[in-house]
Structures are given as structure tokens and as C-alpha cells.
Amino acid sequence: MPLFLEKQARWWLLPVRLLLCLIVVTLCISGWYSWSVQASRLPDRIPMTGNTTGNTVDSMTGHTMQHQQGQQNDVSVTDLVGPQSGEPNERFTLVAQEAQMRLRSGATVNAWTFNGQLPGPELRVHQGDLVEVKLINRLSRAGVTLHWHGLDVPNGEDGVAGVTQNAVQPGESFTYRFVVKNHAGTYWYHSHQDSLEAVGKGLFGPLIVLPPRDSFAGKDIPILAHSWLTKERGSQEAFGITDTMQRLTVQPGTPVRLRLINTDSLPVSFVLSGTPFKVIAIDGTDLNAPTDLTRQRLLVAAGGRYDIQFTMPGTAVSLDWTNKKSSKVRFLLSQDATASAPALADGPVFNPATYGSRQKTPFGLSSHFDKEFTLILDDMIGFYDGKMESLWPINGKVFPNTPMLMVHEGDLVKVSFVNRSWMDHPMHLHGHHMLVLSYNGRPVTGSPWWVDTLNVAPGESYDVAFRADNPGIWMDHCHNLDHAAAGMILHLGYEGVSSPFEVGHDTINQPE
Ligand code: C2O
Ligand code: CU
């Protein structure tokens, strides 16, 4: 009898132990989970002024944690503005408003528009112009700003909510004034308040800078590649609102300039078929001595721009978005409305590092750099602001713990990007243009290659350099707006510049 009891007791022991173990493990995991969720919540207020210590070469000062209130001799970003008086050469009004819009296929988009247009109105200005843009927000609930992507405007006109201004609330307005100092070329504008949602829904448009006396007598066509969220079909790729095929009549012999603008969050590959063409500019800067290309795929960074030019032949020319086999997004240029499309001239990806001819640059690989930074881009699964998601840390950190690049005005700054993650990261620096010095350790041998948005693909590395000649506090972030919203942002700060603005849940500012 006792023997039987003992056996029975043992028989029960194992499952009970297992159950206890399971309970303890579950408690541990859920405890760790809720602790992680809590710990990843962003502070309610994050001030934008970085600290002003530790400014040695290679220094990466903490972002905002060691925030020091503006010192006596600090310049505020609100003082770094364009001319406040003087009659502007160009004056625009952009009204943010909700509208139900249709793509060419008939698919509907619940859009946020500027002036009821999708994409927003094309702003054409000339180099040297004083431009005034009045932003009026008539959205029902969201804030708006205007950021001039690629234009090196004074910091206070840069339009980043929580960094250079407060988000403009419904019913409010804000006026931007700046002199166009950039090269003639292709730029764009977009809201920089909750840009993931705002740009996605349509608060963007092309911004074209023309030379003082523009003599181009051909067809000049901005093409904005974007994915729209449609009611009927979910995500739909389009050139502007052309999610199908659009014909354009062009007479043979006409010079054609296509301004390819990627307003999407992933690289867009364009294929031009039916004629040789040249890539004449990247991110608003002309390339030196571009040569004819055929059968090359143009991979444009999210936020980036390529301008291509050709002379219209006697036969049809097509421009295709070739990301997906199923995509039917196409511009077909021909003399009459019956011509059929040429065979797709797809080929290897065009590499700007070896295209065109060398030319003197203000600095290069052998220059002495005042500051050098290395930014390592990684991936990990983690918690961010209470949610578990894919994170894209920079040097192991996500915003607001990412490093702040602190510089003095006049510094020559070198930045090395290394992408160890599995996704592309189009790195965009506000307010400056970066000269690409080397690609995967090899010096750039083609035309000087200036960018404001550089696609760093998985496994790639780049060295770039820029002159710190535009004081302020500038965003430097991935233009895959999902990544930016998950903290893939840092800032370039100038010593002695402070910002009175803040981001965070307790503020009206959420730039990404
Ligand atoms: Cu196109 Cu931070 O922006
Ligand atoms: Cu990214």
C-alpha cells in the first residue's frame, strides 16, 4: 500500500513541476514584455537643442539628454530666417485640405492635398529669386509644415515641426520667405509634420529651380513616383496620378527633359526605352560631361531626383516604373496617339560613381577634415514608443538616443555610411549638399556627384563630405518614412545654435 501511494505521488509530481515552470516562464516573459513596452515609450517632451560640450573630432555627443538651455550667446533657429522685407519675385499660397481624389484608373484616394491638386502645384522659381510661400492649413485635425527638400534655405525656413517651427494647426497659417541659392535643378516640397502620413496622403509637390535666363525650348516634365493608398485596390504605384499608361504627344527632334522625383519610401527603378539618353543632373546638381546611356535601369533613392534628357526620335519612347513585374505604370511619348511602346530596355543599374568626367571640386578624399563621423546602419526587432517593430538603429541607437553630429560653422565634415541591415536607407541631410567621395571603398571617378539624399543599399558603404556653411539644427534621416517614424533620425547641430521647439506626445510636433 505505501509503495502504491508513493508511486502515485511521483506520478503527479512531474506535471505539477512542469506547470509551475510554465507559469514562472510566462510571468517572466510577460513581465519582460511589459517592462520593454514601458521602457521604450518616448519622453513626452524632447527638446531639440543638443549639448555644447565634447566637440572633439569623432565626437558623438548625446542627443538631448544632456540638454542645456540656450546660452547667452546662442542664436535661436527662429533668428535664422530669410529676408523679412522686400517684394518677392515669386509668391505662392498652398492650402492644405482634404479631398477625395481619383487616379487615372478611377481608383479613389482619401487624400490630403495642396490646393485640391494631387500631387501639389508645381512651383517654378529662378535662381536668386526671393520666394514667399504662404501655407494655410484647412485640414480638419492634422498639423502641417512645408519643407523644401534639397533647397539649402536658412534653418528657420526649413519647415521641420518641433525643430525649426511648431506644426501649423488647422485654421492657422505660416509664411516662408527665402532666397533660392541652389543650382538650377529639380527639388520638391512636402509637409514635415507626421511626414509618414502626410506625404503618403499627398502633401507634396515638385519644386523646379530654373536658371536666371532659362533657354530650354523643349518639353520639361516633372514625374513624381508615388504609391497611393486606394480604397479599391490598396497600395497603387503611379507617376503623379497615372497608375496606368499615359500618352504624351511629342514631335520628333524635340529636346525632352524628364525630372524623375521619388516621393515614395522605397527606391524606384525607372527604365527609359526607345532612345539613348543622358542623366544630366542628380539631386538638383548638373553632372559634368554626361554620356549617352541605353539599357540601364535608373534606381532613384526615396526623396532623390535624377534629371534625364534626350532628343525625341521618330519612334515612340517609354518610361516605365519597373519595381514589380505586374506594374503597368508608364508614360508613352510619341508623335501620334497610335504608336505602340518600344521593347523594354531594362539592364544593369546605372552607377553615378563612374559616370561623366572628373572636374575640380572644393574638397576631396585627401582634404583635411575638421570632423569625421561614421554612421552604421543596422536592423533589429525591438520596442519603440510602446510598440514592437522593426528598428533601424544608427550606431546601435534609435531617436532620441541617436548621436548628434556637432559641428562649428566652417568645418569640413566627412561622414561615412555603412549599411549592415537588409534594407535600403536613403539618407537625407537637410540644408546641405554632400559630395560623394567614395563608394564601397573605391574613389568616385566620374563627374562630381553631389547629393542631398543618398541611397545606401544593404552591404554598401559611402564616404561623403560637406562644408558646414548653413548654421542651424538640421535633420539627417532615412527618407524611407516608415524607418524615420521608427526612430531612424539624427540631427546635425551647429555649436551656439539653439531651438525653442520640442517634439513628443505632449507637444503638437511629430516631425516623422
Ligand atoms: Cu524630404 Cu526630412 O525630408
Ligand atoms: Cu531606412
Side-chain angles (χ1 to χ4, degrees):
M1 208 52 170
L3 193 63
F4 172 73
L5 268 179
E6 211 169 86
K7 264 190 184 162
Q8 203 174 36
R10 279 204 192 123
W11 184 83
W12 281 108
L13 216 49
L14 187 63
V16 165
R17 278 187 183 156
L18 277 177
L19 192 68
L20 279 176
C21 271
L22 202 66
I23 290 172
V24 170
V25 167
T26 313
L27 280 176
C28 282
I29 290 179
S30 67
W32 166 81
Y33 183 85
S34 49
W35 177 83
S36 303
V37 165
Q38 252 341 95
S40 77
R41 289 210 199 281
L42 294 183
D44 291 331
R45 295 183 165 272
I46 307 170
M48 258 317 129
T49 302
N51 81 10
T52 50
T53 58
N55 45 30
T56 52
V57 174
D58 275 326
S59 76
M60 300 275 198
T61 62
H63 205 274
T64 53
M65 300 299 112
Q66 310 98 311
H67 172 234
Q68 296 175 347
Q69 265 312 330
Q71 296 170 352
Q72 248 84 49
N73 55 353
D74 269 7
V75 176
S76 167
V77 298
T78 54
D79 296 327
L80 299 168
V81 290
Q84 294 304 291
S85 60
E87 189 55 27
N89 304 88
E90 297 287 349
R91 187 178 256 142
F92 303 99
T93 301
L94 292 176
V95 183
Q97 55 197 85
E98 280 126 12
Q100 195 176 87
M101 304 294 288
R102 277 187 189 284
L103 304 184
R104 275 181 87 87
S105 68
T108 46
V109 178
N110 283 328
W112 290 357
T113 71
F114 283 121
N115 302 1
Q117 283 170 246
L118 210 60
E122 184 176 312
L123 308 186
R124 283 200 176 238
V125 300
H126 291 86
Q127 274 180 298
D129 278 357
L130 173 60
V131 178
E132 181 180 298
V133 186
K134 183 171 184 185
L135 167 67
I136 302 174
N137 184 0
R138 297 229 176 90
L139 295 177
S140 55
R141 53 173 186 88
V144 180
T145 64
L146 283 172
H147 167 59
W148 318 102
H149 186 118
L151 280 196
D152 303 327
V153 298
N155 191 230
E157 312 287 351
D158 197 44
V160 181
V163 181
T164 65
Q165 67 173 98
N166 280 321
V168 179
Q169 297 303 296
E172 291 180 358
S173 67
F174 189 95
T175 301
Y176 299 86
R177 286 172 66 97
F178 53 85
V179 173
V180 179
K181 297 204 169 130
N182 286 77
H183 297 281
T186 305
Y187 305 85
W188 62 299
Y189 61 89
H190 61 80
S191 179
H192 220 306
Q193 160 69 6
D194 204 348
S195 42
L196 174 60
E197 180 171 23
V199 176
K201 286 184 164 171
L203 288 181
F204 64 86
L207 173 57
I208 311 299
V209 177
L210 300 168
R213 266 172 298 280
D214 184 30
S215 55
F216 185 71
K219 285 248 184 216
D220 178 335
I221 311 170
I223 294 176
L224 293 84
H226 195 74
S227 297
W228 301 103
L229 187 62
T230 67
K231 277 210 265 180
E232 297 79 2
R233 289 200 296 273
S235 177
Q236 182 63 50
E237 297 169 342
F239 290 155
I241 54 163
T242 300
D243 55 340
T244 51
M245 186 187 85
Q246 186 177 347
R247 286 181 179 275
L248 287 174
T249 309
V250 183
Q251 294 311 313
T254 310
V256 180
R257 177 178 188 145
L258 302 180
R259 301 173 182 268
L260 311 180
I261 308 175
N262 183 354
T263 66
D264 216 15
S265 272
L266 295 172
V268 171
S269 43
F270 296 88
V271 171
L272 188 86
S273 314
T275 178
F277 63 96
K278 294 181 169 74
V279 177
I280 59 167
I282 294 179
D283 286 3
T285 308
D286 285 352
L287 297 182
N288 183 46
T291 51
D292 271 341
L293 298 171
T294 42
R295 297 202 157 278
Q296 295 222 11
R297 173 187 281 239
L298 303 178
L299 194 75
V300 180
R305 289 88 59 211
Y306 279 8
D307 288 23
I308 61 177
Q309 196 165 319
F310 55 90
T311 302
M312 186 64 193
T315 48
V317 170
S318 75
L319 179 75
D320 286 81
W321 179 335
T322 56
N323 273 4
K324 285 184 197 154
K325 288 255 160 20
S326 61
S327 176
K328 293 268 166 11
V329 181
R330 167 175 287 171
F331 266 32
L332 185 56
L333 286 63
S334 62
Q335 194 175 356
D336 59 66
T338 56
S340 51
L344 199 68
D346 204 354
V349 174
F350 165 72
N351 181 4
T354 54
Y355 180 66
S357 316
R358 301 179 72 115
Q359 202 178 22
K360 204 173 150 22
T361 50
F363 40 81
L365 266 177
S366 56
S367 297
H368 164 78
F369 297 100
D370 303 295
K371 296 280 159 65
E372 297 189 25
F373 302 103
T374 299
L375 299 178
I376 299 184
L377 317 176
D378 274 312
D379 53 63
M380 67 183 217
I381 299 291
F383 293 87
Y384 190 64
D385 206 12
K387 270 184 273 155
M388 190 160 169
E389 51 187 320
S390 291
L391 299 182
W392 311 97
I394 302 172
N395 296 356
K397 299 279 200 289
V398 286
F399 181 79
N401 301 315
T402 39
M404 183 140 184
L405 313 182
M406 290 303 297
V407 297
H408 286 104
E409 185 172 358
D411 278 353
L412 185 59
V413 185
K414 181 174 159 193
V415 177
S416 306
F417 294 105
V418 180
N419 185 354
R420 300 196 300 204
S421 78
W422 59 273
M423 274 196 85
D424 292 78
H425 300 297
M427 299 305 294
H428 172 47
L429 173 62
H430 288 209
H432 301 76
H433 277 77
M434 309 177 275
L435 178 66
V436 183
L437 305 175
S438 70
Y439 165 61
N440 286 348
R442 267 178 254 127
V444 167
T445 55
S447 161
W449 176 18
W450 293 89
V451 293
D452 52 62
T453 315
L454 180 66
N455 195 68
V456 187
E460 284 184 348
S461 64
Y462 288 90
D463 295 319
V464 304
F466 63 90
R467 179 69 68 185
D469 56 2
N470 197 2
I473 299 173
W474 301 97
M475 291 206 84
D476 190 356
H477 63 97
C478 178
H479 221 283
N480 180 325
L481 298 174
D482 296 288
H483 297 183
M488 199 175 194
I489 12 176
L490 47 78
H491 295 85
L492 169 70
Y494 280 63
E495 300 291 346
V497 178
S498 65
S499 166
F501 303 108
E502 299 175 312
V503 301
H505 301 302
D506 268 7
T507 74
I508 52 173
N509 301 316
Q510 192 66 60
E512 301 306 338

